Amino acid sequence: MRPKVAFFDFTSCEGCQLDALNLEVGELLGLLGAVDIVNFREIKTDRSDDYDIAFIEGSITKESEIPRIQAIRNQAKVLVALGACACTGGINCMKNAYPMEDLLKGVYGECAEYYNTIPARPISAVVPVDAYIRGCPPTTAEFVKVVKSLLLSKRPDIPNYPVCTECRMAGNVCVFQRGGTCIGPVTRGGCEALCVSAGRFCWGCRGLVDDPNTNSEKDILARYGLTIDQILERFKIYNSYSEVSKCQS
Protein backbone atom coordinates (compact mmCIF):
# COMPACT_ATOMS: atom_id res chain seq x y z
CA MET A 1 0.00 0.00 0.00
CA ARG A 2 1.34 3.42 -0.92
CA PRO A 3 1.97 5.92 1.92
CA LYS A 4 -0.75 8.50 2.26
CA VAL A 5 0.61 12.04 1.99
CA ALA A 6 -0.97 15.35 2.97
CA PHE A 7 0.11 18.96 2.46
CA PHE A 8 -0.97 21.73 4.83
CA ASP A 9 -0.43 25.46 4.78
CA PHE A 10 -0.15 27.79 7.75
CA THR A 11 0.96 31.44 7.57
CA SER A 12 2.86 31.64 4.29
CA CYS A 13 2.65 32.60 0.63
CA GLU A 14 2.10 28.91 -0.32
CA GLY A 15 4.90 29.22 -2.85
CA CYS A 16 6.78 26.25 -1.39
CA GLN A 17 3.85 23.94 -2.13
CA LEU A 18 3.62 25.26 -5.66
CA ASP A 19 7.33 24.77 -6.12
CA ALA A 20 7.04 21.20 -4.86
CA LEU A 21 4.84 20.58 -7.89
CA ASN A 22 7.33 22.20 -10.23
CA LEU A 23 9.01 18.87 -10.93
CA GLU A 24 10.19 17.42 -14.18
CA VAL A 25 7.43 15.30 -15.73
CA GLY A 26 9.25 12.07 -14.95
CA GLU A 27 9.84 13.07 -11.33
CA LEU A 28 6.22 14.15 -10.87
CA LEU A 29 4.88 10.91 -12.33
CA GLY A 30 7.31 8.96 -10.19
CA LEU A 31 6.10 10.78 -7.07
CA LEU A 32 2.45 10.25 -7.93
CA GLY A 33 3.15 6.57 -8.49
CA ALA A 34 4.92 6.16 -5.15
CA VAL A 35 2.49 7.94 -2.82
CA ASP A 36 -1.22 8.55 -2.46
CA ILE A 37 -1.83 12.28 -2.04
CA VAL A 38 -4.97 12.54 0.10
CA ASN A 39 -4.90 16.20 1.10
CA PHE A 40 -3.45 19.04 -0.98
CA ARG A 41 -5.71 22.08 -1.27
CA GLU A 42 -3.86 23.58 -4.23
CA ILE A 43 -4.43 20.63 -6.54
CA LYS A 44 -7.50 18.73 -5.35
CA THR A 45 -10.81 19.32 -3.56
CA ASP A 46 -11.16 15.89 -1.95
CA ARG A 47 -9.63 15.76 1.51
CA SER A 48 -8.90 13.05 4.02
CA ASP A 49 -7.62 13.17 7.58
CA ASP A 50 -6.13 9.69 7.22
CA TYR A 51 -2.48 10.22 6.23
CA ASP A 52 1.01 8.97 7.08
CA ILE A 53 3.27 11.84 6.01
CA ALA A 54 2.39 15.51 6.50
CA PHE A 55 4.22 18.32 4.72
CA ILE A 56 3.76 21.64 6.52
CA GLU A 57 4.33 25.00 4.87
CA GLY A 58 4.26 28.24 6.87
CA SER A 59 4.94 29.39 10.39
CA ILE A 60 2.69 29.61 13.42
CA THR A 61 1.41 33.17 13.90
CA LYS A 62 -2.04 32.74 15.46
CA GLU A 63 -3.31 31.00 18.59
CA SER A 64 -5.82 29.09 16.47
CA GLU A 65 -2.98 27.51 14.49
CA ILE A 66 -1.52 25.77 17.56
CA PRO A 67 -4.27 23.14 18.11
CA ARG A 68 -4.43 22.64 14.33
CA ILE A 69 -0.74 21.75 14.00
CA GLN A 70 -0.96 19.60 17.14
CA ALA A 71 -3.81 17.61 15.59
CA ILE A 72 -1.79 17.11 12.40
CA ARG A 73 1.20 15.99 14.47
CA ASN A 74 -0.95 13.47 16.32
CA GLN A 75 -2.15 11.96 13.04
CA ALA A 76 1.06 11.95 11.00
CA LYS A 77 3.70 9.27 11.43
CA VAL A 78 6.19 11.65 9.81
CA LEU A 79 5.94 15.44 9.85
CA VAL A 80 8.06 17.47 7.43
CA ALA A 81 8.66 21.23 7.66
CA LEU A 82 8.56 22.57 4.10
CA GLY A 83 10.26 25.88 3.35
CA ALA A 84 11.84 28.69 5.32
CA CYS A 85 8.70 29.80 7.19
CA ALA A 86 8.08 26.30 8.53
CA CYS A 87 11.75 25.55 9.25
CA THR A 88 12.97 28.78 10.87
CA GLY A 89 9.88 30.97 11.14
CA GLY A 90 11.04 32.86 8.07
CA ILE A 91 10.17 36.44 7.25
CA ASN A 92 7.00 36.23 9.36
CA CYS A 93 9.21 36.45 12.46
CA MET A 94 10.30 39.96 11.50
CA LYS A 95 7.11 41.16 13.17
CA ASN A 96 8.32 39.80 16.52
CA ALA A 97 10.47 42.89 16.97
CA TYR A 98 7.35 45.04 17.39
CA PRO A 99 4.40 45.07 19.84
CA MET A 100 1.66 42.87 18.40
CA GLU A 101 -1.00 45.46 19.25
CA ASP A 102 0.83 48.14 17.27
CA LEU A 103 1.18 45.80 14.29
CA LEU A 104 -2.53 44.99 14.26
CA LYS A 105 -3.46 48.66 14.35
CA GLY A 106 -0.94 49.47 11.63
CA VAL A 107 -2.24 46.77 9.28
CA TYR A 108 -5.96 46.64 10.04
CA GLY A 109 -6.62 50.08 11.52
CA GLU A 110 -10.03 50.34 13.19
CA CYS A 111 -10.70 46.67 12.40
CA ALA A 112 -7.70 45.47 14.44
CA GLU A 113 -9.92 44.10 17.21
CA TYR A 114 -11.28 41.46 14.82
CA TYR A 115 -7.88 39.88 14.24
CA ASN A 116 -5.44 38.10 16.48
CA THR A 117 -1.75 37.52 16.15
CA ILE A 118 1.04 36.13 18.31
CA PRO A 119 4.80 36.26 17.86
CA ALA A 120 5.61 34.09 14.83
CA ARG A 121 7.50 30.84 15.35
CA PRO A 122 8.69 27.83 13.34
CA ILE A 123 6.78 24.54 13.44
CA SER A 124 9.42 22.95 15.69
CA ALA A 125 8.61 25.51 18.40
CA VAL A 126 5.17 23.91 18.77
CA VAL A 127 5.46 20.23 17.77
CA PRO A 128 8.33 17.82 17.00
CA VAL A 129 9.51 17.85 13.37
CA ASP A 130 10.95 14.73 11.74
CA ALA A 131 12.54 16.26 8.63
CA TYR A 132 13.23 19.65 7.10
CA ILE A 133 13.16 20.83 3.48
CA ARG A 134 14.78 24.23 3.70
CA GLY A 135 14.84 27.30 1.51
CA CYS A 136 12.61 30.06 0.17
CA PRO A 137 11.51 28.20 -1.79
CA PRO A 138 13.24 24.82 -1.42
CA THR A 139 14.89 23.38 -4.50
CA THR A 140 12.90 20.68 -6.24
CA ALA A 141 16.01 18.48 -6.16
CA GLU A 142 16.08 18.59 -2.36
CA PHE A 143 12.32 18.01 -2.17
CA VAL A 144 12.69 14.87 -4.28
CA LYS A 145 15.71 13.70 -2.26
CA VAL A 146 13.88 14.06 1.05
CA VAL A 147 10.76 12.32 -0.25
CA LYS A 148 12.82 9.39 -1.55
CA SER A 149 14.61 9.09 1.78
CA LEU A 150 11.35 9.10 3.73
CA LEU A 151 9.84 6.43 1.49
CA LEU A 152 12.92 4.29 2.15
CA SER A 153 12.66 5.02 5.90
CA LYS A 154 16.04 6.72 5.79
CA ARG A 155 17.13 9.97 7.37
CA PRO A 156 17.47 12.59 4.61
CA ASP A 157 21.09 13.55 3.96
CA ILE A 158 20.89 17.34 4.13
CA PRO A 159 24.14 19.37 3.88
CA ASN A 160 25.51 20.78 7.10
CA TYR A 161 28.22 22.90 5.55
CA PRO A 162 27.97 26.60 4.71
CA VAL A 163 26.86 28.10 1.41
CA CYS A 164 30.43 29.40 1.07
CA THR A 165 31.55 25.86 0.22
CA GLU A 166 29.19 25.65 -2.75
CA CYS A 167 29.96 29.23 -3.72
CA ARG A 168 33.66 28.43 -4.08
CA MET A 169 32.84 25.26 -6.06
CA ALA A 170 30.75 27.39 -8.41
CA GLY A 171 33.69 29.72 -8.97
CA ASN A 172 31.86 32.81 -7.73
CA VAL A 173 33.64 35.99 -6.71
CA CYS A 174 33.07 36.45 -2.97
CA VAL A 175 30.26 38.92 -2.23
CA PHE A 176 32.47 40.68 0.33
CA GLN A 177 35.12 41.18 -2.36
CA ARG A 178 32.39 42.79 -4.49
CA GLY A 179 31.75 45.26 -1.66
CA GLY A 180 28.56 43.64 -0.38
CA THR A 181 27.46 41.73 2.70
CA CYS A 182 26.51 38.07 2.82
CA ILE A 183 25.67 35.44 5.42
CA GLY A 184 26.78 32.52 3.28
CA PRO A 185 29.68 31.75 5.68
CA VAL A 186 27.20 30.54 8.35
CA THR A 187 24.14 29.56 6.27
CA ARG A 188 23.38 25.91 5.56
CA GLY A 189 24.32 24.89 2.02
CA GLY A 190 22.34 22.73 -0.36
CA CYS A 191 21.10 25.46 -2.69
CA GLU A 192 24.19 25.37 -4.94
CA ALA A 193 24.79 29.02 -3.97
CA LEU A 194 21.92 29.96 -6.24
CA CYS A 195 21.54 33.61 -5.19
CA VAL A 196 25.25 34.44 -5.24
CA SER A 197 25.67 32.70 -8.60
CA ALA A 198 22.93 34.99 -9.91
CA GLY A 199 24.89 38.05 -8.83
CA ARG A 200 23.19 38.72 -5.52
CA PHE A 201 24.07 37.61 -1.96
CA CYS A 202 23.03 34.89 0.47
CA TRP A 203 19.92 35.89 2.43
CA GLY A 204 20.18 32.93 4.82
CA CYS A 205 16.84 31.38 3.84
CA ARG A 206 18.10 27.86 4.63
CA GLY A 207 18.90 28.73 8.24
CA LEU A 208 22.21 28.39 9.97
CA VAL A 209 24.45 25.34 9.90
CA ASP A 210 24.26 23.32 13.12
CA ASP A 211 27.47 24.77 14.52
CA PRO A 212 28.01 28.09 12.73
CA ASN A 213 31.53 29.46 12.85
CA THR A 214 30.53 32.88 14.10
CA ASN A 215 34.14 33.76 14.91
CA SER A 216 35.02 33.27 11.23
CA GLU A 217 32.08 35.48 10.24
CA LYS A 218 33.27 38.14 12.67
CA ASP A 219 36.79 37.92 11.20
CA ILE A 220 35.37 38.42 7.71
CA LEU A 221 33.38 41.43 8.85
CA ALA A 222 36.44 42.96 10.46
CA ARG A 223 38.51 42.32 7.31
CA TYR A 224 36.02 44.23 5.18
CA GLY A 225 35.31 46.99 7.70
CA LEU A 226 31.76 45.86 8.50
CA THR A 227 30.01 45.72 11.86
CA ILE A 228 28.06 42.92 13.52
CA ASP A 229 24.96 45.11 13.47
CA GLN A 230 25.20 45.41 9.68
CA ILE A 231 25.25 41.65 9.18
CA LEU A 232 22.54 41.04 11.80
CA GLU A 233 20.18 43.05 9.64
CA ARG A 234 20.64 40.31 7.02
CA PHE A 235 19.98 37.60 9.62
CA LYS A 236 16.70 39.20 10.63
CA ILE A 237 15.13 38.59 7.24
CA TYR A 238 14.84 34.83 7.68
CA ASN A 239 16.34 33.94 11.04
CA SER A 240 15.01 36.39 13.59
CA TYR A 241 13.19 33.77 15.68
CA SER A 242 16.23 32.48 17.55
CA GLU A 243 19.36 32.41 15.45
CA VAL A 244 20.06 36.11 15.80
CA SER A 245 20.30 35.80 19.57
CA LYS A 246 22.77 32.92 19.18
CA CYS A 247 25.06 35.04 17.02
CA GLN A 248 24.96 37.89 19.50
CA SER A 249 26.22 35.67 22.32
Side-chain angles (χ1 to χ4, degrees):
M1 181 178 296
R2 296 179 297 176
K4 298 175 182 176
V5 172
F7 288 77
F8 299 97
D9 53 272
F10 284 75
T11 300
S12 64
C13 69
E14 302 191 26
C16 295
Q17 293 176 86
L18 285 174
D19 216 62
L21 296 171
N22 191 28
L23 303 173
E24 298 292 337
V25 174
E27 292 176 328
L28 183 58
L29 292 177
L31 173 65
L32 295 177
V35 302
D36 183 10
I37 298 177
V38 299
N39 197 328
F40 198 157
R41 184 173 60 84
E42 294 189 0
I43 62 172
K44 60 185 299 181
T45 54
D46 296 339
R47 301 180 186 180
S48 170
D49 291 325
D50 179 16
Y51 46 84
D52 305 302
I53 303 174
F55 290 89
I56 309 297
E57 178 183 4
S59 52
I60 304 299
T61 67
K62 296 185 293 186
E63 289 283 359
S64 59
E65 292 177 328
I66 294 177
R68 181 181 174 226
I69 189 61
Q70 290 172 333
I72 293 171
R73 173 69 274 187
N74 290 337
Q75 169 61 36
K77 297 174 183 174
V78 176
L79 188 145
V80 183
L82 175 64
C85 292
C87 292
T88 69
I91 60 175
N92 291 323
C93 290
M94 293 177 71
K95 73 173 184 177
N96 295 354
Y98 306 94
M100 294 297 114
E101 184 176 344
D102 291 349
L103 290 172
L104 284 171
K105 289 181 179 178
V107 175
Y108 300 109
E110 296 179 352
C111 297
E113 63 179 297
Y114 299 110
Y115 297 88
N116 72 81
T117 188
I118 59 175
R121 62 206 69 184
I123 301 302
S124 61
V126 183
V127 298
V129 172
D130 301 302
Y132 297 85
I133 306 178
R134 300 176 184 274
C136 180
T139 66
T140 53
E142 187 157 296
F143 175 79
V144 170
K145 181 167 72 172
V146 171
V147 170
K148 286 181 177 178
S149 296
L150 295 177
L151 294 180
L152 294 172
S153 300
K154 297 171 56 179
R155 178 180 292 275
D157 182 21
I158 303 299
N160 190 27
Y161 49 76
V163 171
C164 268
T165 301
E166 295 173 341
C167 208
R168 292 192 184 99
M169 294 175 65
N172 293 325
V173 175
C174 178
V175 172
F176 291 100
Q177 292 178 341
R178 302 198 322 245
T181 58
C182 181
I183 54 176
V186 291
T187 298
R188 186 184 302 273
C191 59
E192 306 296 335
L194 182 64
C195 293
V196 182
S197 297
R200 307 195 73 186
F201 57 88
C202 175
W203 301 75
C205 72
R206 293 177 58 80
L208 300 182
V209 291
D210 288 343
D211 188 19
N213 189 343
T214 53
N215 288 331
S216 174
E217 178 77 7
K218 291 175 182 176
D219 290 343
I220 293 172
L221 296 180
R223 188 186 313 159
Y224 291 98
L226 300 169
T227 66
I228 291 178
D229 286 341
Q230 285 175 302
I231 204 69
L232 285 179
E233 287 302 313
R234 300 292 195 201
F235 276 104
K236 289 177 182 176
I237 297 175
Y238 282 104
N239 300 287
S240 60
Y241 177 72
S242 61
E243 281 79 356
V244 168
S245 61
K246 294 177 184 176
C247 293
Q248 289 175 317
S249 62

